[in-house]
Amino acid sequence: MRRKLVAGNWKMNGSLAANSALLASVNAALGNDVACDIAVCAPAPYLAQCQALLASSQVALGAQDVSAHETGAYTGEASAAMLAEFGCRYVIVGHSERRSYFAEDDALVAQKTVRVLQSGLTPIVCVGETLEQRESGKTASVVGAQLGAVLAAIDAARVADIVVAYEPVWAIGTGKTATPAMAQEVHAQLREQLTGCNAEQGAKVRILYGGSMKPDNAAELMAMPDIDGGLIGGAALKATDFLAIIAAAK
Ligand code: 13P
């Protein structure tokens, strides 16, 4: 049985005041025994603030991106080692917004994943097809190639150290959600690919669903056999919604 993970991706939202209010509400509402792992992935300038706000919280901290390089003359970049120093446990890599707006390809995403693992953090590797790719029957080949590039780059003995997030691009921020059956079909394919790489470890990997996950659809999505949690955008910015999704993760 895999423990579920509910991770908020704040994207480029927040402020010192808003982050403080949101995390105070979340921290106050969580009891001591939560049934799932929880994380928030904050914008880089707020990592120090969130590290302090989460110091004695059940909520882990994550970042939204990382450099593919270890150190050096890469203006604007933040390394995995730097993220680790600010208490990050998770790092999102290959989010579709980075793939489409910042031209990140599968090779770069694989390199970033390697760097995150080298620093002892957990990469949340995002995969997902566009509407056009889905409608032309390419979903399986697109997500297969995206995950395949990562699996080819990492040590097969470390497969269990990654988290995968299936985020159909057409469902992100649109209010359109994949049905539980549609999502499960892709998650099952991803599971097969993970266990094909390492049978024992692939069975342990958490595969999150992301794309308009909300309090009213979270429970049915997370009831599917290979949906092990959620990567939450908009609903993670509202404490009551985020907490309701956490409560749905059993
Ligand atoms: P929404 O939940 O806002 O659709 O965003 C999903 C997402 O992209 C999380 O990474």
Side-chain angles (χ1 to χ4, degrees):
M1 182 71 184
R2 293 174 293 269
R3 187 171 163 89
K4 290 196 166 48
L5 168 63
V6 174
N9 173 10
W10 290 356
K11 308 193 180 185
M12 200 171 73
N13 294 293
S15 65
L16 289 171
N19 304 343
S20 172
L22 175 59
L23 292 180
S25 301
V26 171
N27 281 335
L30 290 174
N32 274 338
D33 32 77
V34 281
C36 64
D37 290 339
I38 307 165
V40 293
C41 298
Y46 296 128
L47 291 175
Q49 179 205 16
C50 293
Q51 179 183 28
L53 291 169
L54 298 175
S56 54
S57 170
Q58 310 262 15
V59 181
L61 183 59
Q64 299 174 12
D65 186 31
V66 65
S67 175
H69 303 285
E70 211 167 335
T71 187
Y74 300 101
T75 302
E77 294 274 88
S79 72
M82 293 171 188
L83 301 178
E85 278 205 301
F86 282 90
C88 288
R89 187 179 309 166
Y90 298 97
V91 184
I92 296 172
V93 292
H95 191 279
S96 64
E97 287 150 15
R98 298 223 50 94
R99 291 178 189 263
S100 66
Y101 305 144
F102 303 96
E104 294 198 4
D105 61 13
D106 290 347
L108 182 65
V109 174
Q111 188 53 42
K112 290 184 173 194
T113 306
V114 169
R115 290 287 173 226
V116 173
L117 288 171
Q118 273 174 353
S119 290
L121 308 183
T122 301
I124 300 177
V125 178
C126 299
V127 302
E129 82 288 1
T130 63
L131 185 59
E132 192 192 354
Q133 288 164 337
R134 172 162 284 267
E135 286 177 344
S136 54
K138 293 192 185 125
T139 299
S141 63
V142 168
V143 301
Q146 289 171 336
L147 180 59
V150 167
L151 294 179
I154 67 172
D155 183 347
R158 299 210 58 189
V159 170
D161 295 338
I162 70 170
V163 169
V164 175
Y166 169 56
E167 299 205 308
V169 177
W170 48 270
I172 294 176
T174 58
K176 288 184 197 147
T177 322
T179 63
M182 276 162 82
Q184 168 59 27
E185 188 183 354
V186 179
H187 282 233
Q189 178 201 319
L190 296 169
R191 175 80 57 211
E192 212 174 283
Q193 199 172 353
L194 290 161
T195 52
C197 186
N198 183 317
E200 194 190 333
Q201 298 213 6
K204 293 184 186 159
V205 173
R206 289 179 294 190
I207 309 177
L208 315 183
Y209 170 81
S212 299
M213 191 185 265
K214 307 278 180 218
D216 63 2
N217 60 26
E220 57 174 6
L221 283 159
M222 290 191 279
M224 301 309 283
D226 289 295
I227 302 186
D228 308 308
L231 186 55
I232 322 297
L237 297 170
K238 224 176 125 193
T240 48
D241 285 356
F242 192 51
L243 288 163
I245 295 172
I246 291 165
K250 304 249 164 55

